[in-house]
Amino acid sequence: ACAAPGVGIVSTVPDRDGYTGAYMEMDGTSMASPAACGVLAVILSRDAAYKALPRNRSRMKRAALLLAQHCKPFGLSTSYEGRGLPTV
């Protein structure tokens, strides 16, 4: 539905070989998904109508609508960027 940064993201990695608190550069949807989810969490936290809905399909639909409304296209085909980059 949207795009998010997913290349060259610095992330923590498990302790190994005596190194603790290690970091490494990672790529892919495992990095992009948390970024998009974080933006959506901020959007939802500011929407009183969303918070008032029961925890059912209507709430899910409101979240999807809000995500779509907060996306800004950046010039690629929708097959690459969906509705664009979610912004707060």
Side-chain angles (χ1 to χ4, degrees):
C2 68
V7 175
I9 306 299
V10 177
S11 182
T12 57
V13 294
D15 295 344
R16 62 179 163 191
D17 299 328
Y19 293 103
T20 59
Y23 298 90
M24 98 187 253
E25 181 181 310
M26 299 176 77
D27 303 326
T29 55
S30 294
M31 298 292 100
S33 294
C37 186
V39 173
L40 180 59
V42 172
I43 293 166
L44 298 178
S45 74
R46 297 176 178 177
D47 189 77
Y50 171 81
K51 292 190 269 186
L53 289 170
R55 293 177 185 244
N56 61 21
R57 185 173 290 274
S58 64
R59 198 171 204 209
M60 181 271 306
K61 287 182 178 183
R62 177 80 180 161
L65 174 69
L66 288 169
L67 178 62
Q69 289 175 343
H70 283 82
C71 286
K72 305 286 187 229
F74 51 92
L76 298 176
S77 162
T78 56
S79 62
Y80 292 108
E81 72 175 38
R83 293 184 177 266
L85 189 65
T87 59
V88 179

